[in-house]
Amino acid sequence: MKTVVLLFHPHLDQSRVNKTLAAAAENAANVTVRNMYDLYPNFQIDVAAEQEVLKKADRVVFQFPTYWYSTPALMKQWEDDVLTHGWAYGSQGKALAGKEFVVATSTGADAENYTRGGDDNYWLAEFYRNLQDTAKLINMKYVRPFFTFDAEHITDDALARQAKRYAAYISQDSPLKILGPLQTEADYALPEL
């Protein structure tokens, strides 16, 4: 299974977590990592090139830090430009049908903040329902996301384990678990290595 990681981090040089995860992904079999802010620092996206990359992939991983409960600006711009009517969706838009759609995001806060009653009031997955709906619209399979919490305090050992889990998760040959719209928080947990 060919996997492409679209890495959307505007300050990757300052990132410990996303830089480590991306490096682990680059070393995994059949995985290509594309640093989108390096490719498009001025937000001028080459739509044809991006669509060609997507056509060749079986699994598309959107890796990014959670900023203000959302995605970085370039990712939204990329979605608006690349996922066009007649290509990605609509009666003739079937280019991405059946491909896997993976969200891989990190947070500065720990996992307890992203619970009912936690400081952020919602599970992290709830902040990305829009991406789940996008996957549905473009006929992709929305699979279990990969979350890395507590980027500000994660230890080097814990980060190394998380990077190993990430590389193993996104490079699996077998299909990943598809999530429906009414999954519970427990459905988002990944098994331990």
Side-chain angles (χ1 to χ4, degrees):
M1 184 167 285
K2 292 177 90 173
T3 299
V4 63
V5 176
L6 304 179
L7 173 58
F8 293 92
H9 196 305
H11 307 290
L12 190 63
D13 59 321
Q14 300 169 26
S15 169
R16 196 171 101 212
V17 169
N18 276 277
K19 191 186 309 183
T20 301
L21 295 176
E26 285 178 327
N27 291 321
N30 297 313
V31 176
T32 301
V33 177
R34 303 180 78 239
N35 184 333
M36 305 308 282
Y37 275 89
D38 278 356
L39 291 170
Y40 305 113
N42 297 319
F43 287 54
Q44 301 300 310
I45 295 168
D46 183 338
V47 173
E50 291 304 306
Q51 290 177 344
E52 191 61 32
V53 166
L54 295 176
K55 280 195 263 187
K56 293 177 181 176
D58 302 303
R59 176 179 297 139
V60 181
V61 180
F62 296 88
Q63 181 184 331
F64 56 91
T66 294
Y67 282 166
W68 288 101
Y69 311 107
S70 190
T71 63
L74 182 60
M75 184 168 162
K76 177 63 171 108
Q77 184 68 50
W78 183 96
E79 291 174 79
D80 291 345
D81 290 355
V82 175
L83 304 178
T84 58
H85 184 269
W87 185 81
Y89 68 99
S91 62
Q92 302 298 314
K94 305 294 183 206
L96 303 174
K99 296 176 185 288
E100 293 181 351
F101 186 112
V102 183
V103 169
T105 191
S106 61
T107 67
D110 63 27
E112 289 74 33
N113 282 347
Y114 292 96
T115 58
R116 299 283 187 210
D119 289 346
D120 296 310
N121 296 313
Y122 300 98
W123 303 326
L124 182 57
E126 292 180 276
F127 292 108
Y128 296 110
R129 290 291 191 200
N130 61 320
L131 296 178
Q132 189 170 12
D133 282 346
T134 296
K136 181 181 176 192
L137 177 67
I138 61 178
N139 300 297
M140 291 182 77
K141 299 173 184 172
Y142 187 82
V143 300
R144 179 186 288 142
F146 189 91
F147 298 144
T148 303
F149 294 99
D150 207 14
E152 295 177 19
H153 303 106
I154 192 169
T155 66
D156 290 343
D157 287 344
L159 180 55
R161 286 191 305 274
Q162 185 72 343
K164 183 177 177 182
R165 290 176 71 214
Y166 181 54
Y169 183 62
I170 65 171
S171 65
Q172 290 180 45
D173 281 333
S174 58
L176 301 177
K177 179 182 178 184
I178 298 171
L179 294 180
L182 300 176
Q183 303 295 143
T184 65
E185 185 175 18
D187 294 312
Y188 290 91
L190 291 172
E192 292 299 320
L193 283 178

